[in-house]
Amino acid sequence: MTPARHLPRPLALLLVAPLLSATLTALPAPHATAALAAATADVDTDGDGLPDTGDGCPTVSSPNPTGCPTVTRRARLTWVKADQRLEARVTSPVTACSARARIVLWRVRPHRDFKISAVTATYSGKRRFTVHRGASYYVTVSPSYSAGVAECTKATSRTVLAPRG
């Protein structure tokens, strides 16, 4: 088993698996299960220091506690003149970070902004809002985790004025 120690863990496990299998079949069932769990518990395929059993993204290396990489996203708010509504759009290089994102619409107030609505974006990352005219608005998207894909960052749009009638 000494040569396998210098190989990457997945390859070392492939080389040692036949020997481990023969050993496990010779052991009684409870001991075989414990031996198999001990042999595979510390496997770290992507080399990020998290064992695959607790790594959210076992094939992608990341320093995050979930084991998944951080992905940025943008929030954009625009006035759609034809519909007389605001449209929020969340974009990201990873579809899972824009699809079904949680969007919060805020109305700008002198001393404290007012939360108007909290909705889920469509699968294309869009959502439209009917609002009072003559006021300013912006949207925020809170950080989220998409299991097995990425940690999605928070995003805030610029402030947009809904023009008077």
Side-chain angles (χ1 to χ4, degrees):
M1 274 204 228
T2 307
R5 190 179 309 187
H6 301 291
L7 296 172
R9 286 187 186 237
L11 185 57
L13 189 58
L14 287 175
L15 295 174
V16 176
L19 298 172
L20 184 60
S21 176
T23 305
L24 293 177
T25 54
L27 293 172
H31 298 293
T33 305
L36 182 61
T40 59
D42 63 345
V43 174
D44 182 15
T45 305
D46 57 10
D48 62 3
L50 291 172
D52 287 352
T53 55
D55 196 336
C57 298
T59 59
V60 181
S61 180
S62 173
N64 293 329
T66 61
C68 289
T70 301
V71 176
T72 59
R73 59 180 165 189
R74 282 187 56 207
R76 191 174 67 199
L77 187 65
T78 54
W79 176 254
V80 181
K81 189 174 183 178
D83 290 343
Q84 300 294 304
R85 292 193 281 174
L86 288 172
E87 180 180 83
R89 182 178 296 210
V90 180
T91 57
S92 175
V94 175
T95 305
C97 287
S98 58
R100 309 292 294 160
R102 193 74 177 153
I103 300 172
V104 178
L105 176 68
W106 298 87
R107 182 175 177 177
V108 177
R109 303 295 280 205
H111 298 290
R112 185 174 172 209
D113 295 346
F114 183 72
K115 181 178 175 180
I116 300 292
S117 177
V119 296
T120 303
T122 63
Y123 283 102
S124 61
K126 298 178 187 176
R127 194 58 174 213
R128 289 196 174 173
F129 301 95
T130 302
V131 294
H132 293 288
R133 308 286 296 272
S136 295
Y137 300 89
Y138 66 95
V139 294
T140 58
V141 181
S142 58
S144 62
Y145 170 65
S146 182
V149 181
E151 286 188 25
C152 310
T153 62
K154 66 180 181 177
T156 302
S157 74
R158 65 182 179 88
T159 301
V160 173
L161 174 66
R164 295 196 182 270

